[in-house]
Amino acid sequence: MKKKALLIEDDRPAGLACVYMLEKQGMDVVHVRRGEDALEAAVRMKPDVILVDIRLAGEMDGYAVIDELKNHPLLAPVPVIIVTNYGLLHDIERGKASGAKEYLVKSDWSIRQIAEKAAAYAEDGKGGD
């Protein structure tokens, strides 16, 4: 059975590129652009991994989305990977404290590497460690 990824990314070109790479990893992907849509999409699809940007369209940022996911009984165990342009130390520390499994700064990783990491988390929950 195909693994499922939920991508929460407001930038359309980055989102399309990431969806393409995740699909090349053999995953079914749902892409939402607003934090407000993320929880409903996650409940509906029951993803194996969630990728979330910090800056999102709408009122909710990625941290608010992660809080909602971590407080939802069905979604709390799903591995979350933060994929963002925010690379300052305080951003990284806040991201790691949020309960996310990984904090990936977009400029340090190719989309292919991010998709491979997501697929590994979807497979075993540990990211291939």
Side-chain angles (χ1 to χ4, degrees):
M1 195 164 90
K2 275 188 165 183
K3 295 293 181 176
K4 296 178 280 189
L6 174 61
L7 174 65
I8 308 158
E9 165 65 68
D10 69 321
D11 182 76
R12 193 177 302 274
L16 291 173
C18 201
V19 166
Y20 173 78
M21 278 298 175
L22 289 164
E23 287 175 344
K24 279 192 70 146
Q25 292 291 321
M27 302 184 79
D28 283 331
V29 185
V30 170
H31 175 203
V32 297
R33 299 180 66 220
R34 294 168 9 105
E36 291 81 352
D37 301 328
L39 192 67
E40 180 188 331
V43 168
R44 192 172 53 249
M45 78 175 292
K46 299 171 188 69
D48 298 294
V49 65
I50 298 170
L51 296 90
V52 61
D53 193 359
I54 297 303
R55 188 181 57 91
L56 297 170
E59 299 295 313
M60 292 177 69
D61 69 4
Y63 294 120
V65 171
I66 293 169
D67 285 346
E68 281 202 355
L69 294 169
K70 292 299 172 192
N71 288 317
H72 192 285
L74 293 174
L75 301 172
V78 178
V80 174
I81 301 173
I82 295 172
V83 183
T84 184
N85 285 318
Y86 297 153
L88 297 176
L89 186 59
H90 72 89
D91 294 318
I92 295 167
E93 288 172 350
R94 182 175 178 197
K96 289 184 175 171
S98 71
K101 297 284 188 188
E102 299 265 356
Y103 188 100
L104 306 180
V105 179
K106 291 177 183 176
S107 60
D108 295 341
W109 298 83
S110 73
I111 295 172
R112 182 181 54 78
Q113 289 171 315
I114 293 167
E116 288 170 353
K117 201 169 258 296
Y121 274 104
E123 206 54 52
D124 63 17
K126 296 190 276 299
D129 295 340

